[in-house]
Amino acid sequence: MLTCRPESRPEEFEKLKIMRQHPLDKLRNIGIIAHIDAGKTTFSERLLFYTGVSHKIGEVHEGEAVMDWMVQERERGITITSAATTMYWKDHQINLIDTPGHIDFTAEVQRSLRVLDGAVVVFDGVAGVEPQSETVWRQADKYKVPRMCFINKLDRMGASFEKSFNSILKKLTKNAVAVQIPIGLEEKLEGVIDLIKMKAIYFESEKGMQVAEKEIPEDFKKEAEVWRHKMVEKIAGEDDSLTEKFLEGKDIPAQELKKVLRKAVLDYKLIPVLCGSALKNKGVQPVLDAVVEYLPSPLEVPSQQGTDPKTAAVIEKKSSDEEPFAALVFKVATDPYVGTLTFFRVYSGVLRKGSYVLNANTGEQERIARILRMHADSRQELDILYAGEIGATVGLKATSTGHTLCDKERPVVLEKIVFPEPVISIRVEPKTKADQEKLIMSIRKLTDEDPTFRIKEDLETGETIISGMGELHLDIIADRLRREFNVEANYGRPQVAYKETITGEAEAEEKYVRQSGGKGQYGHVLLRVKPKERGAGFEFIDEIKGGAIPKEFIKPVEKGVVEAMDKGIVAGYPMVDVEVTLYDGSYHDVDSSEFAFKIAGSMAFQAAAKRAKPVILEPIMKIEVVTPPDFFGQVISDLSSRRGKIEETSERLEMKVIDALVPLSEMFGYVTALRSLTEGRASSTMEFNSYEQVPSNIAQEIIDGKRQ
């Protein structure tokens, strides 16, 4: 038996309670999320240092960050894969996941947010809210993750707490509330003012280890009063008794403010904003205090809803050691030393080393040979893992990202993680015969790890096509194949992942009839096709009445439709966002078969889709360009020549900021072109926005194969 229940072994549960180091209410599962270059990994390194996990601060710019442990991360100074670690602060256990900021690795953010209870969003104090800050914010909204903000890099030239805070209010949420303001800015940044306690906080001694509370300097008292008034008004608005006190002009004690603020954070009603400079060791420890004070424990987030794999009945999983075991796998990684590492979050029950668990998605049993608590790329062996914790295991055979591991007596399937579709593809071929088998095996391992990385065999040409979220994503994959798996390969030019859809409604009737001496083949279907909203996906509706087509032949019809959609109608690209209704047909008592109905379904779909005004869709990217004013005109005209739509232009310090939507097919090599256009002084960030219809002249080029 994997888990024990109180009614069966109460004495064992008493023992578990004693063994558990930190009760559930003292546990925090948090993520650090941000736009690329907001200083997220530097911030995480300070958290590790101040909590005693590392005894030396690893700097990103020196290639020594603990959380950036991959070779590629250290060379490029960016985070590629989410890294998990555990630390302890003021009698609390904090499980931390540092996620990538680059949009090409969005899957890492998505899967981490799915299993976290809270998040700290880091912003650059000069740039404020940037495009990918918005993306990670929306992802946190999707999973309803309570969060707080840290405005970082206030020591930099041009930093402004007020501008950055206002950009959060304007672009992300009106619920942000500043609970700190900085003492000075740029090179004069000395510390922060805690607006709840109305005290100045300084970070003294070597590396800011000593936190000293002092009186607010005279120069900042007036400003602090103004900010405090705004803060108290916002917090008091969440509680009737505090509103009364506020309106009567009474002073509200710090403890009351904290209590109401905590409840508002847990209800997604307020988001506290803190500030400082991680690089200069100012403002980090108060963030740890705020994580403990405001972000939820596993007991304070809604229970997980799962379904019974047999009956589809809804099952609630409460955060408790005494419930049957259930955990969600959120990441699979290949470790050069231990093999396949499977990361999971335990939602209920306890997991013991050596026990057997059920993979509710595949129906297979897996043995938990080892339980590991991860510290970036180092590991700590455990005998038992409790509810609410994040851990890893080694050597699971048939378990992938999004699968549920559970007690075999009480099976449950937890909600899966949905990942975005890849937008860019390249052809890859091994350099030698010896590399052929190695290449396919290595790519398969990487697709197990990364749900946004796909592999497809082109049956007509025999080529292998790999797809990902962007040029950097595929570049890192190629680098890993060479270094980690010793596979030498040649790569083709990047290609856009076009898709097809229909814009009208149509019907078609098809019969598949074959007679060849013995038993024949007979399948007859009538289909209706209809476009769906962009991003709504595929839906198959069965409207057969009176047994015109027997039940056992409905699934094969759907299978035939799906296969036809994969091949496309216009230019061979997969079709999306289509509703297909099977409304009539006929069958033959002897000759009808699953195969015949599958072929009939495929033929009918192709015929209907051709009549339903099919079109090609292309990925449109959201791009932000930051350029000196001298080159503003050239950059705008270059974007327009790439079929770009300028959405907004604004100013950031001495620079011009251009937000535009541009088709991905026009953006290959853009970084190099932008550098030469602006003497290397402009920078850009790009992320996927949506799929849109391709203009007819471009569509013809795609059909004729003249365009990548």
Side-chain angles (χ1 to χ4, degrees), residues 605-634:
F605 175 78
Q606 286 176 48
K610 279 174 186 164
R611 293 176 200 149
K613 301 178 195 153
V615 293
I616 298 175
L617 301 174
E618 63 180 341
I620 304 293
M621 310 306 280
K622 186 177 175 183
I623 181 165
E624 181 190 82
V625 183
V626 181
T627 176
D630 318 359
F631 306 104
F632 182 68
Q634 292 98 303

Side-chain angles (χ1 to χ4, degrees), residues 657-705:
V657 181
I658 303 160
D659 291 307
L661 294 174
V662 194
L664 174 62
S665 59
E666 308 287 349
M667 294 305 288
F668 293 131
Y670 180 69
V671 173
T672 312
L674 182 66
R675 279 191 197 127
S676 57
L677 201 63
T678 61
E679 298 170 5
R681 292 167 62 198
S683 64
S684 68
T685 55
M686 184 168 73
E687 62 178 271
F688 171 70
N689 185 65
S690 60
Y691 268 94
E692 283 182 22
Q693 189 176 329
V694 174
S696 53
N697 61 322
I698 307 275
Q700 198 51 53
E701 286 181 25
I702 296 166
I703 294 163
D704 298 341

Side-chain angles (χ1 to χ4, degrees), residues 20 23-25 27 29 117 297-304 316-324 326 345-350 386-389:
R20 185 173 188 136
L24 266 167
D25 63 337
L27 188 62
N29 291 312
D117 300 327
S297 74
L299 294 172
E300 292 164 310
V301 292
S303 299
Q304 282 292 308
E316 193 178 342
K317 302 305 289 181
K318 290 179 185 157
S319 271
S320 164
D321 297 338
E322 304 182 21
E323 289 265 317
R345 155 84 189 259
V346 180
Y347 280 105
S348 63
V350 293
Y386 300 90
E389 297 231 47

Side-chain angles (χ1 to χ4, degrees), residues 30-35 38-40 43 99 109 113 118-124 128-130 132-138 140-141 145-152 168 172-173 271-275 287 291 295:
I30 65 159
I32 310 292
I33 59 176
H35 178 94
K40 184 172 39 56
F43 176 67
T99 65
V109 182
L113 285 171
V120 179
V121 192
V122 180
F123 297 92
D124 182 325
V129 174
E130 298 172 271
Q132 285 150 33
S133 322
E134 292 186 56
T135 306
V136 295
W137 191 272
R138 305 289 167 238
D141 280 345
V145 177
R147 71 212 79 144
M148 48 192 265
C149 302
F150 179 71
I151 296 176
N152 190 23
I168 295 172
L172 301 179
T173 177
I271 289 149
V273 180
L274 295 88
C275 61
V287 176
V291 163
L295 292 183

Side-chain angles (χ1 to χ4, degrees), residues 52 171 278 283 305 336 351 465 625 645 669:
K171 294 185 178 178
Q305 300 287 322
L351 179 66
I465 297 164
V625 183
K645 287 181 202 155

